[in-house]
Amino acid sequence: MSIAQLDNSYEFPHPTNALAEPNGLLAFGGDLSAERLRVAYHEGIFPWYSPDEPPLWWSPDPRAVLISGELHTGRTLRRFIRKHPYQITVNYAFDEVIYNCAQRQEGTWIGPNVQQGYQILHQEGQAHSIEVWYDRQLVGGLYGVCVGTLFCGESMFSKMENASKCAFVAFYHHFLHHGGQLFDCQVLNHHTESLGAKNIPREEFLQSLYQLRGQSLQSGCWPAQMLDL
């Protein structure tokens, strides 16, 4: 089965047309404009590719999610949180967070054009960042895209112990406090699994997406502010 090549329109194939191998590959091509990204997330699709490739668009089956009420913090992390030296904020330094997420020794797909697309989404109020500070230095964080009461996590980074986990734990409680219901982790890995994420069938994820994308968070979720941990 071949995959679709995107043109100048912002239409995507339905996610159920994605390949089984490689799992979830749905389409290639197009740009990383804010409008295309907005449409993609609205349909449960996300980009991921190597810098020397055209954009690749994915909707894997199963899909990794963290369901409201299922956050797991192990004993070691809980002990660390009680003594943590960090300050945590939301939407204080989006550009710096996405830049740091791109600085990986193993390489990254988050090139300048990718950063620009998400920066525009942030300016439009749909992409958001969580920052972790130590001694006024940015030492960790994450960013992602909000679709209704669903948050699609994109990437995170950590320069000090448990910084990205602290960012997520603080944001988890903040998001739920304002009516958030589901976290999209895309593909399960050790880091997200340790926090309670699990795989669900793509069909189940899409049903949740279609319901949650039309809902609204309570006011006060996204203004730049300090978060409790």
Side-chain angles (χ1 to χ4, degrees), residues 4 7 13-14 25 27 30 36 42 62 83 87 94 104 111 113 128 146 151 160 168 173 175 187 190-191 228:
D7 54 25
H14 193 274
L25 181 57
R36 191 182 298 276
H42 195 258
K83 302 177 180 179
Q87 291 183 315
F94 184 90
R104 294 181 176 177
N113 61 328
H128 307 280
C146 191
F151 187 82
M160 291 184 66
F168 186 84
H173 294 295
F175 189 61
V187 178
H190 175 74
H191 189 75
D228 295 325

Side-chain angles (χ1 to χ4, degrees), residues 73-84 162:
T73 53
R75 182 182 304 172
T76 301
L77 181 58
R78 290 197 301 271
R79 186 183 304 118
F80 182 88
I81 288 174
R82 287 195 296 269
K83 302 177 180 179
H84 78 93
N162 289 324

Side-chain angles (χ1 to χ4, degrees), residues 74-213:
R75 182 182 304 172
T76 301
L77 181 58
R78 290 197 301 271
R79 186 183 304 118
F80 182 88
I81 288 174
R82 287 195 296 269
K83 302 177 180 179
H84 78 93
Y86 301 139
Q87 291 183 315
I88 302 176
T89 58
V90 57
N91 283 335
Y92 263 61
F94 184 90
D95 292 359
E96 291 85 347
V97 167
I98 194 171
Y99 173 81
N100 277 277
C101 286
Q103 306 307 304
R104 294 181 176 177
Q105 292 182 350
E106 68 272 23
T108 181
W109 71 280
I110 311 173
N113 61 328
V114 177
Q115 294 180 45
Q116 183 179 34
Y118 285 97
Q119 285 164 349
I120 294 173
L121 277 187
H122 173 65
Q123 293 164 10
E124 295 176 351
Q126 192 166 355
H128 307 280
S129 61
I130 314 302
E131 302 89 16
V132 181
W133 308 89
Y134 177 76
D135 195 23
R136 299 186 179 180
Q137 299 296 314
L138 184 65
V139 298
L142 64 89
Y143 77 95
V145 177
C146 191
V147 183
T149 55
L150 165 70
F151 187 82
C152 306
E154 265 303 317
S155 188
M156 57 177 60
F157 78 98
S158 184
K159 295 182 178 181
M160 291 184 66
E161 183 182 6
N162 289 324
S164 61
K165 287 187 177 182
C166 287
F168 186 84
V169 170
F171 173 63
Y172 172 89
H173 294 295
H174 176 76
F175 189 61
L176 266 58
H177 177 74
H178 289 87
Q181 297 189 49
L182 187 66
F183 296 85
D184 172 24
C185 302
Q186 298 180 349
V187 178
L188 196 65
N189 58 41
H190 175 74
H191 189 75
T192 54
E193 187 174 23
S194 71
L195 292 169
K198 65 181 182 181
N199 281 326
I200 63 172
R202 178 173 56 211
E203 181 179 358
E204 183 178 340
F205 170 77
L206 292 175
Q207 289 175 350
S208 296
L209 168 68
Y210 299 153
Q211 177 184 3
L212 300 178
R213 69 187 184 184

